[in-house]
């Protein structure tokens, strides 16, 4: 089985969030199960720098781009997954992130940048290049045009899977794109890729793919409702027989308290006491008051509406008054960043705020925190709650999407039958009382330890999910 996995980010080359983690771990898991899966990714500077590359196709002309692109190939660092890289300096080689400039503004030519990514994927799908995939596996809006391109210029031997990691990002652009990317005028319709007068890359993927997947079973249901469907719930309901939720896994080579390269103290279920050294290290790094009785709550998130950090900010004084400390790592919304910094100034011994992106610190927080807070408004899957459970760090989450699929609330029944792994609340106004519940149980060391053990013993590996993708590929 030959699969081209098309993505706009992949750890450790380039990562802004969970898609990066998935684009690394899932292909690795698929390869271990015998699938010839290869990645296709744009040639951002950090990608070109980290890979040893050879040229496999030169001077490919792709309308509407007026310069040729080159296709390079390398192998994922430390792994065996082949990676195809699109070399096109004018589109991808610039300072800033994969989607935004250094000021946090979307690149103005994103339609072209990701339209070309989609066009190259379609060339593979048309079997016009050396590698001839049977499945083109697309991820998020950046790859949404692929299913459309393959529908209107079909190859009978190629099927497409569209994986939705987040419905909230759709890739909306002007209608002139239809012509530019060689799509027929009839595609610009309600049953095609039109969305309120714009071209929606994501809708193109959802309308024209052979199968849609999303990253948790619960989110697959959520997105068929107006509350989570972002206006595409009708289309998703219509296609529900071709839509499945496959839960993400975690890469236990990268995220594992026993071997984590970013930790000074490793630990396992059997040596949980050593976790406290990581807590102590975090406290000294951020000059927080030192006490074993005070629980440390971690947050690592993109500071955007989705993650609900704006619900945490106003109750931070109450959380501190209730006897907890917080370590926060994130970046995003400037107002949120500012409010957090102000609070950190006010509570230097109880609250530390690090703005920016820091892979190492993310691992250290997962290991050092006692609890991990994720009050997301919606969450397609969420990886941090799974990392947390695997690190014996008890998640406090809202019952939504993948969070609802992965965290078992510490109700008295679940505590008694030893299935509880965290604290779950429904509505925003229950956030603080849920935190209070966690703080209370923290004092009952035996129960707390059982929550840790249950979470750390769960199988979050990619094996199971990778098998589900493989049976889907075969079915198609
Ligand atoms: P999302 O993809 O919506 O951001 P996930 O929970 O699926 O949410 O994945 C987030 C990933 O990005 C995790 O690996 C998390 O550790 C990482 N991450 C998020 N923000 C930061 C940050 N500021 N620094 C380092 N890692 C971060
Ligand atoms: C998205 C979602 C997140 C998910 C990740 C990987 O960024 O917001 O919930 O875990 O993709 O699938």
């Amino acid at each position: 089985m030959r699969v081209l996995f098309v993505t706009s980010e992949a750890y450790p080359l380039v990562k802004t969030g969970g898609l990066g983690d998935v684009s690394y771990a899932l292909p690795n898991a698929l390869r271990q199960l015998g699938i010839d899966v290869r990645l296709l990714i744009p040639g951002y500077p950090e990608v070109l720098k980290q890979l040893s590359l050879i040229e496999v196709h030169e001077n490919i002309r792709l309308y509407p781009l007026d310069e040729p692109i080159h296709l390079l190939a390398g192998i994922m660092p430390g792994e065996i997954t082949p990676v195809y890289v699109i070399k096109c300096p004018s589109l991808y080689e610039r300072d800033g992130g994969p989607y935004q400039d250094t000021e946090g503004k979307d690149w103005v030519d994103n339609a072209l940048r990701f339209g070309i990514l989609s066009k190259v994927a379609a060339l593979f799908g048309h079997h016009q290049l050396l590698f001839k995939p049977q499945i083109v596996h697309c991820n998020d809006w950046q790859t949404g045009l692929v299913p459309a391109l393959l529908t209107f210029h079909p190859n009978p031997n190629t099927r497409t899977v569209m994986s939705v990691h987040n419905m909230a990002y759709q890739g909306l652009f002007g209608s002139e794109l239809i012509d530019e990317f060689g799509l027929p005028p009839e595609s610009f319709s309600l049953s095609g890729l039109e969305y309120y007068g714009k071209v929606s890359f994501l809708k193109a993927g959802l309308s024209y793919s052979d199968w849609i997947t999303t990253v948790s079973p619960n989110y697959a249901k959520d997105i068929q409702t107006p509350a989570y469907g972002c206006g595409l719930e009708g289309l998703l309901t219509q296609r529900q027989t071709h839509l499945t939720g496959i839960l993400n896994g975690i890469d236990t080579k990268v995220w594992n308290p026993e071997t984590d390269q970013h930790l000074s103290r490793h630990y396992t279920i059997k040596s949980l006491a050593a976790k406290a050294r990581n807590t102590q290290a975090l406290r000294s790094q951020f000059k927080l008051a030192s006490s074993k009785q005070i629980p440390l709550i971690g947050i690592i998130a993109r500071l955007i509406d989705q993650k609900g950090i704006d619900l945490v900010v106003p109750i931070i004084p109450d959380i501190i008054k209730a006897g907890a400390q917080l370590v926060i790592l994130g970046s995003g919304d400037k107002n949120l960043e500012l409010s957090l910094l102000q609070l950190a100034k006010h509570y230097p011994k109880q609250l530390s705020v690090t703005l920016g992106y820091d892979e190492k610190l993310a691992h250290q927080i997962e290991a050092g925190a006692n609890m991990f807070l994720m009050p997301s408004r919606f969450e397609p899957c969420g990886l941090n709650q799974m990392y947390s459970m695997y690190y014996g760090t008890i998640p406090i989450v809202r019952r939504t999407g993948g969070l609802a699929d992965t965290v078992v609330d510490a109700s008295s029944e679940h505590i008694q039958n030893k299935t509880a792994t965290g604290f779950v609340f429904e509505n925003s106004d229950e956030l603080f009382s849920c935190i209070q519940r966690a703080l209370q149980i923290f004092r009952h060391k035996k129960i707390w330890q059982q929550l840790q053990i249950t979470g750390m013993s769960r199988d979050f590996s990619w094996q199971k999910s990778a098998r589900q993708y493989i049976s889907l590929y075969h079915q198609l």
Side-chain angles (χ1 to χ4, degrees):
M1 173 68 75
R2 297 178 305 277
V3 178
L4 184 75
F5 193 91
V6 192
T7 184
S8 54
E9 59 179 272
Y11 171 89
L13 307 174
V14 54
K15 165 176 162 184
T16 69
L19 174 62
D21 288 350
V22 173
S23 300
Y24 171 76
L26 173 57
N28 289 343
L30 290 169
R31 275 200 96 79
Q32 274 163 21
L33 294 170
I35 302 294
D36 182 4
V37 54
R38 306 184 187 193
L39 243 63
L40 174 67
I41 193 166
Y44 313 115
E46 50 276 61
V47 171
L48 299 173
K49 217 179 324 158
Q50 288 177 71
L51 293 173
S52 305
L53 292 161
I54 51 163
E55 187 162 77
V56 284
H57 290 281
E58 58 177 2
N59 289 322
I60 304 176
R61 294 245 161 222
L62 289 172
Y63 191 77
L65 201 62
D66 44 24
E67 68 187 293
I69 63 131
H70 300 260
L71 201 63
L72 315 178
I75 305 285
M76 199 57 133
E79 286 296 335
I80 50 168
T81 308
V83 187
Y84 291 108
V85 175
I86 306 170
K87 171 98 179 147
C88 182
S90 71
L91 290 186
Y92 307 127
E93 290 172 49
R94 35 178 100 159
D95 291 338
Y99 318 118
Q100 295 177 331
D101 62 18
T102 44
E103 311 276 287
K105 285 206 192 73
D106 287 355
W107 293 113
V108 288
D109 55 350
N110 270 348
L112 185 62
R113 297 172 74 238
F114 296 112
I116 290 296
L117 171 64
S118 300
K119 271 208 151 178
V120 175
L123 277 184
F124 276 102
H126 287 135
H127 292 182
Q128 290 177 9
L129 303 172
L130 231 45
F131 180 59
K132 299 182 174 30
Q134 292 145 304
I135 302 282
V136 180
H137 189 153
C138 307
N139 293 280
D140 274 352
W141 74 263
Q142 292 86 351
T143 60
L145 285 192
V146 183
L149 291 165
L150 282 167
T151 296
F152 292 106
H153 310 280
N155 174 347
N157 297 315
T158 311
R159 297 286 176 275
T160 51
V161 174
M162 181 76 223
S163 285
V164 181
H165 298 261
N166 201 326
M167 283 297 299
Y169 301 97
Q170 302 199 354
L172 296 179
F173 303 102
S175 55
E176 66 282 358
L177 281 184
I178 296 290
D179 262 2
E180 284 180 9
F181 283 93
L183 291 164
E186 69 262 27
S187 66
F188 193 64
S189 64
L190 192 64
S191 59
L193 48 72
E194 185 262 354
Y195 185 82
Y196 293 99
K198 300 229 163 196
V199 167
S200 162
F201 272 43
L202 182 63
K203 191 177 172 194
L206 299 177
S207 297
Y208 295 113
S209 56
D210 292 300
W211 204 273
I212 303 167
T213 70
T214 185
V215 287
S216 69
N218 208 35
Y219 193 61
K221 285 192 232 140
D222 285 347
I223 57 178
Q224 294 178 50
T225 66
Y228 297 97
C230 302
L232 295 173
E233 56 277 6
L235 166 60
L236 289 160
T237 308
Q238 221 178 308
R239 295 216 63 197
Q240 59 180 286
T241 53
H242 291 71
L243 163 65
T244 25
I246 302 179
L247 193 68
N248 284 335
I250 66 174
D251 190 317
T252 49
K253 269 201 286 181
V254 181
W255 292 91
N256 187 338
E258 198 176 352
T259 52
D260 192 322
Q261 54 161 332
H262 300 296
L263 305 187
S264 47
R265 290 288 165 175
H266 292 134
Y267 59 94
T268 64
I269 286 192
K270 295 202 180 93
S271 57
L272 260 176
K275 179 172 164 63
R277 304 273 191 96
N278 292 288
T279 312
Q280 196 39 47
L282 262 187
R283 285 203 167 104
S284 7
Q285 183 178 348
F286 294 112
K287 303 194 171 55
L288 298 179
S290 176
S291 158
K292 274 199 175 165
Q293 313 315 321
I294 303 179
L296 186 60
I297 303 177
I299 293 179
I300 306 163
R302 296 180 292 122
L303 302 177
I304 51 162
D305 199 51
Q306 173 189 346
K307 302 294 176 180
I309 308 303
D310 55 312
L311 306 171
V312 181
V313 168
I315 60 168
I316 282 180
D318 297 324
I319 297 176
I320 290 171
K321 228 183 280 159
Q325 295 176 330
L326 294 111
V327 175
I328 302 178
L329 166 64
S331 67
D333 183 283
K334 295 296 162 213
N335 288 325
L336 274 180
E337 289 187 351
L338 198 66
S339 314
L340 286 171
L341 283 181
Q342 277 166 345
L343 281 162
K345 242 187 173 171
H346 198 74
Y347 299 103
K349 293 280 172 204
Q350 282 86 21
L351 167 65
S352 122
V353 171
T354 307
L355 299 180
Y357 187 90
D358 188 336
E359 188 77 27
K360 180 177 182 161
L361 180 56
H363 285 249
Q364 292 169 335
I365 292 176
E366 284 295 2
N370 301 107
M371 307 168 189
F372 192 92
L373 188 53
M374 272 180 103
S376 307
R377 290 197 165 79
F378 66 94
E379 198 60 77
C381 178
L383 297 173
N384 277 119
Q385 82 282 9
M386 290 193 272
Y387 298 148
S388 296
M389 286 184 270
Y390 205 59
Y391 278 65
T393 304
I394 307 303
I396 303 171
V397 305
R398 203 167 88 93
R399 193 187 307 281
T400 181
L403 298 175
D405 279 322
T406 51
V407 182
V408 180
D409 183 55
S411 62
S412 35
E413 187 196 338
H414 293 148
I415 288 178
Q416 227 157 40
N417 64 21
K418 300 191 172 164
T419 53
T421 58
F423 296 86
V424 185
F425 64 96
E426 296 282 342
N427 303 312
S428 314
D429 56 359
E430 294 158 19
L431 169 59
F432 185 59
S433 58
C434 188
I435 295 173
Q436 281 177 313
R437 198 151 58 88
L439 298 182
Q440 262 163 19
I441 299 221
F442 181 73
R443 289 188 214 114
H444 298 273
K445 290 298 160 206
K446 270 223 158 112
I447 302 180
W448 194 261
Q449 216 172 51
Q450 184 57 52
L451 297 183
Q452 291 180 297
I453 290 170
T454 309
M456 291 174 86
S457 321
R458 294 246 316 245
D459 178 10
F460 293 115
S461 72
W462 267 103
Q463 289 282 321
K464 206 170 113 200
S465 315
R467 283 184 207 284
Q468 286 177 266
Y469 281 106
I470 292 173
S471 60
L472 172 61
Y473 297 157
H474 281 295
Q475 181 192 328
L476 292 175

